[in-house]
């Protein structure tokens, strides 16, 4: 069981070496990810893939938070959760009526006990979700896929992530996707 890997919300993109899970189609396991508890044991999963999935789940806040708790529960210590989502300021996010929640690096950082304690000690006004929910994920990777608009607008700065992030605070549609990795701290 040391290498149990889940591809949650796999759709038609099934991955070799993973248990492919979806509510629809012909996955290895047919399961609704908004149903609890998940059918895996505590601390049994070493890796989870959520490729363009999390933004479709948890329209009600309590359901979204329960999803995070279930992901944490099934993760082994140091398990990784790979998350790819459309950028929250991209029309790709808004055009799909099945997208129910923007997923951002700051939002996922709220599930870090280390950061929650830092925020608490410094008096920052962040919701201490990791402490409230007893989960602990560190955001260990975050990268951005520039959009075609960015490439056309800034052809000499395509790989300048600092400029990309600064400009995306003002302009929409500059970032296509956000790739993030959470690591379970147990």
């Amino acid at each position: 069981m040391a290498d149990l890997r889940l591809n949650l919300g796999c759709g038609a993109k099934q991955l070799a070496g993973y248990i492919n899970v979806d509510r629809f189609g012909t996955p290895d396991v047919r399961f609704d990810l908004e149903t609890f508890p998940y059918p895996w044991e505590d601390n049994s999963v070493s890796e989870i893939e959520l490729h363009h999935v999390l933004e479709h789940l948890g329209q009600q806040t309590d359901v979204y938070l329960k999803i995070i708790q279930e992901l944490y529960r099934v993760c082994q210590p140091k398990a990784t959760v790979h998350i790819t989502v459309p950028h929250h300021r991209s029309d790709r996010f808004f055009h799909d009526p099945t997208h129910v929640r923007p997923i951002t690096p700051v939002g996922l950082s709220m599930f870090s006990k280390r950061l929650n304690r830092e925020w608490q000690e410094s008096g920052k006004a962040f919701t201490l979700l990791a402490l409230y929910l007893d989960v602990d994920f560190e955001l260990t990777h975050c990268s951005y896929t520039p959009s075609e608009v960015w490439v056309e607008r800034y052809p000499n700065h395509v790989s300048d992530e600092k400029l990309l992030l600064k400009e995306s605070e003002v302009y929409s549609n500059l970032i296509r996707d956000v790739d993030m990795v959470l690591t379970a701290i147990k």
Side-chain angles (χ1 to χ4, degrees), residues 67-163:
I67 289 166
I68 299 299
Q69 287 178 304
E70 280 298 287
L71 292 173
Y72 186 73
R73 179 186 67 77
V74 303
C75 279
Q76 299 172 351
K78 298 183 182 177
T80 55
V81 182
H82 302 254
I83 299 167
T84 303
V85 294
H87 190 265
H88 64 281
R89 295 199 58 197
S90 166
D91 286 349
R92 293 176 64 243
F93 175 76
F94 290 107
H95 288 322
D96 188 334
T98 67
H99 290 168
V100 299
R101 167 180 303 282
I103 307 298
T104 67
V106 172
L108 291 177
S109 293
M110 291 180 160
F111 301 112
S112 162
K113 284 185 178 179
R114 177 187 59 78
L115 284 176
N116 280 195
R117 288 184 188 107
E118 287 178 17
W119 297 336
Q120 193 173 39
E121 289 169 10
S122 65
K124 290 190 176 174
F126 277 100
T127 305
L128 306 175
L129 291 175
L131 298 176
Y132 298 159
L133 301 173
D134 195 26
V135 299
D136 197 3
F137 284 111
E138 283 293 326
L139 181 64
T140 53
H141 171 80
C142 185
S143 63
Y144 302 88
T145 304
S147 71
E148 298 80 15
V149 172
W150 174 259
V151 173
E152 289 172 10
R153 193 172 170 98
Y154 298 94
N156 297 325
H157 299 282
V158 170
S159 61
D160 187 341
E161 188 171 282
K162 186 176 177 181
L163 180 61

Side-chain angles (χ1 to χ4, degrees), residues 21-24 27 29-40:
V21 180
D22 205 301
R23 181 176 162 188
F24 302 107
V29 174
R30 184 172 259 200
F31 185 76
D32 180 349
L33 296 170
E34 293 183 318
T35 303
F36 312 106
Y38 286 0
W40 299 283

